[in-house]
Amino acid sequence: MNATPESPREPQESDLLVPFESQHIPADYKEYYKIKRNNLFSSIQGFSEMWKYYILLDAIWLREFSDLKPPGNVNQWFPLILFFNAHAKIRISIELALSGCMAEARSILRDGVECVAHSHRMLTDPQLQTVWLSKSEDQKAFSDAFERHKKEGLFKGLDELYRTWGQLSESGSHATLNALCDRFVTRRSAEGRPEAWEFRYCGVERRFWAMSLFSMLLTCFTMERTFFSDYESRLNLDHVLVRMRAEFESYKEHVREYLKVRYDVKPPVA
């Protein structure tokens, strides 16, 4: 954070914390808390185009929820609750991503993706709602419908979300090297010899941060697109929502092209 463009300075505690936080958070924990808060403020400023992307998409979710009060078909009621839960997961996930807590952000976004898949599955086969709600009475039926052969079952017709769900599992939810590698920093001597390593609770290299954040935001859009598609017969009647989604789609592609140039992203080698 800068006081003015001409006079940059390190953020002070009063810039990051309200008096209540300064008074009640212990000193050791406060250092972690200040870094996390500073990362959030800095990423909102430094990744302003992605912050706008996120806010525009969030407004679309809220508009859609408002249009579906109440849902038209009784079979759409319970799946809608899972979409609400998916949206809540998105909010927490992106706040963590903006704070530099990437592994935790991916883990929670994976949960959100799974909520979308469960909801979509029950909308395509309403009888599965009884199976879902009776999990404690018939675990086998639940496993057969929602846990086994996920690609052909739970994620049927959701190939993009299935790929993302797998990637988020490996880089966030599971105890794997991919989920840990971006959290270790090696300190080196003046001669370049490794001296010690540090574990970062939050914060990553800027380019990696930007690419990871945008990838997650694309997943959030895919989740919303699935939601809209599942309730399209109602949502398509809202001409304001349709315009919002069209404008967002245009802005999304603008951000994609902007990031390609800003971070010199090369196309994959054929």
Side-chain angles (χ1 to χ4, degrees):
M1 294 174 60
N2 297 339
T4 67
E6 294 78 23
S7 57
R9 66 176 178 85
E10 288 295 315
Q12 305 302 301
E13 183 170 312
S14 59
D15 297 321
L16 302 172
L17 309 181
V18 300
F20 178 87
E21 292 170 320
S22 293
Q23 180 180 354
H24 291 281
I25 296 176
D28 289 342
Y29 192 87
K30 190 184 293 182
E31 288 307 306
Y32 153 77
Y33 194 74
K34 286 193 298 183
I35 292 171
K36 184 166 169 279
R37 181 70 63 82
N38 186 47
N39 284 345
L40 175 63
F41 294 165
S42 297
S43 62
I44 289 174
Q45 293 176 321
F47 301 139
S48 58
E49 65 291 330
M50 287 190 278
W51 171 249
K52 180 180 177 181
Y53 173 120
Y54 169 57
I55 293 302
L56 289 174
L57 186 59
D58 190 75
I60 289 171
W61 278 96
L62 295 180
R63 180 90 185 186
E64 290 166 337
F65 289 144
S66 178
D67 285 347
L68 293 172
K69 292 181 180 178
N73 186 318
V74 66
N75 289 326
Q76 296 178 332
W77 288 37
F78 181 69
L80 181 59
I81 294 174
L82 287 181
F83 276 115
F84 271 101
N85 195 47
H87 176 244
K89 299 281 187 181
I90 286 174
R91 282 185 162 182
I92 295 170
S93 171
I94 298 302
E95 287 174 11
L96 284 170
L98 290 167
S99 301
C101 303
M102 301 308 298
E104 291 75 18
R106 296 187 199 107
S107 181
I108 292 174
L109 188 60
R110 173 189 179 273
D111 295 344
V113 168
E114 200 162 277
C115 284
V116 168
H118 278 247
S119 184
H120 177 78
R121 183 85 171 104
M122 285 187 280
L123 285 168
T124 57
D125 185 353
Q127 292 183 349
L128 290 177
Q129 294 184 38
T130 302
V131 175
W132 200 98
L133 291 167
S134 303
K135 178 181 178 181
S136 58
E137 287 78 38
D138 194 342
Q139 174 65 53
K140 182 181 184 303
F142 180 89
S143 297
D144 289 342
F146 296 101
E147 295 180 338
R148 303 185 196 282
H149 310 294
K150 286 186 181 290
K151 183 177 181 179
E152 300 80 13
L154 179 61
F155 285 91
K156 184 178 181 179
L158 302 176
D159 292 347
E160 185 176 348
L161 283 180
Y162 177 72
R163 287 192 298 271
T164 302
W165 176 81
Q167 292 165 358
L168 293 170
S169 298
E170 289 302 309
S171 60
S173 297
H174 296 164
T176 65
L177 182 60
N178 287 337
L180 298 172
C181 63
D182 59 346
R183 312 197 78 158
F184 286 93
V185 179
T186 303
R187 288 190 311 196
R188 298 182 179 274
S189 66
E191 295 76 26
R193 294 191 302 271
E195 289 186 332
W197 59 266
E198 297 176 348
F199 183 86
R200 292 187 295 198
Y201 284 85
C202 56
V204 291
E205 184 272 328
R206 185 180 182 86
R207 186 179 188 279
F208 178 80
W209 193 352
M211 296 297 99
S212 297
L213 176 59
F214 187 62
S215 177
M216 293 176 65
L217 289 171
L218 288 175
T219 299
C220 296
F221 163 71
T222 305
M223 295 163 70
E224 182 280 328
R225 185 176 62 191
T226 304
F227 177 39
F228 181 86
S229 177
D230 283 343
Y231 291 86
E232 187 171 5
S233 60
R234 281 280 300 278
L235 297 177
N236 223 18
L237 300 176
D238 184 348
H239 69 279
V240 175
L241 173 63
V242 172
R243 175 178 53 79
M244 290 170 66
R245 296 186 79 251
E247 291 174 351
F248 172 81
E249 178 70 30
S250 176
Y251 184 72
K252 172 174 67 71
E253 294 309 311
H254 164 75
V255 173
R256 189 196 303 272
E257 295 305 314
Y258 169 76
L259 293 175
K260 285 181 182 178
V261 174
R262 181 176 182 182
Y263 295 102
D264 191 27
V265 178
K266 303 297 184 185
V269 178

